[in-house]
């Protein structure tokens, strides 16, 4: 043949594949660390949103408390039922 040194060829291929794999592994680890950081940030934001919703619910409960003299509006079905009863009474 052409005098190809197969041992050197295979050695260089294996070492070049090893270098490519090492670079890919470093890139993949970096992407994984970025992804973990994003998840941690999202979880912190989620905790902040939960705390905010808790505070808003407390304010909402206090606002609907009759001691503040704010009239609590009945649910839609109760309002409909009361208007229906008023309308029926008016017809009778």
């Amino acid at each position: 043949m052409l005098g190809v040194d197969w041992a050197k060829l295979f050695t260089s291929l294996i070492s070049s594949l090893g270098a490519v794999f090492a670079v890919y592994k470093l890139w993949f680890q970096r992407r994984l660390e970025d992804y973990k950081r994003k998840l941690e940030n999202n979880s912190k934001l989620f905790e902040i949103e939960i705390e905010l919703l808790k505070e808003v619910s407390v304010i909402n409960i206090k606002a609907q408390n009759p001691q503040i003299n704010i009239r609590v509006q009945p649910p839609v079905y109760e309002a409909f039922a009361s208007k229906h009863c008023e309308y029926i009474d008016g017809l009778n």
Side-chain angles (χ1 to χ4, degrees):
M1 303 250 319
L2 297 173
V4 175
D5 187 4
W6 292 104
K8 283 186 180 180
L9 180 68
F10 286 129
T11 304
S12 65
L13 281 175
I14 289 173
S15 62
S16 63
L17 286 176
V20 169
F21 179 73
V23 169
Y24 175 75
K25 184 178 176 185
L26 290 173
W27 175 82
F28 184 76
Q29 285 177 343
R30 178 67 180 165
R31 296 292 300 153
L32 188 61
E33 289 172 4
D34 290 343
Y35 183 70
K36 285 180 183 178
R37 191 174 306 112
K38 286 180 184 177
L39 283 178
E40 288 173 359
N41 289 341
N42 285 344
S43 67
K44 289 176 185 175
L45 288 174
F46 185 70
E47 290 174 3
I48 291 170
E49 289 176 359
I50 293 280
E51 291 299 321
L52 181 65
L53 286 175
K54 286 179 184 177
E55 291 176 11
V56 167
S57 66
V58 168
I59 292 171
N60 191 18
I61 290 171
K62 287 180 181 178
Q64 291 183 3
N65 194 350
Q67 294 174 352
I68 303 178
N69 295 327
I70 297 176
R71 187 173 71 89
V72 179
Q73 293 184 351
V76 174
Y77 62 89
E78 289 181 10
F80 177 77
S82 66
K83 288 293 181 184
H84 180 71
C85 289
E86 290 174 10
Y87 180 70
I88 294 297
D89 289 340
L91 287 179
N92 289 338

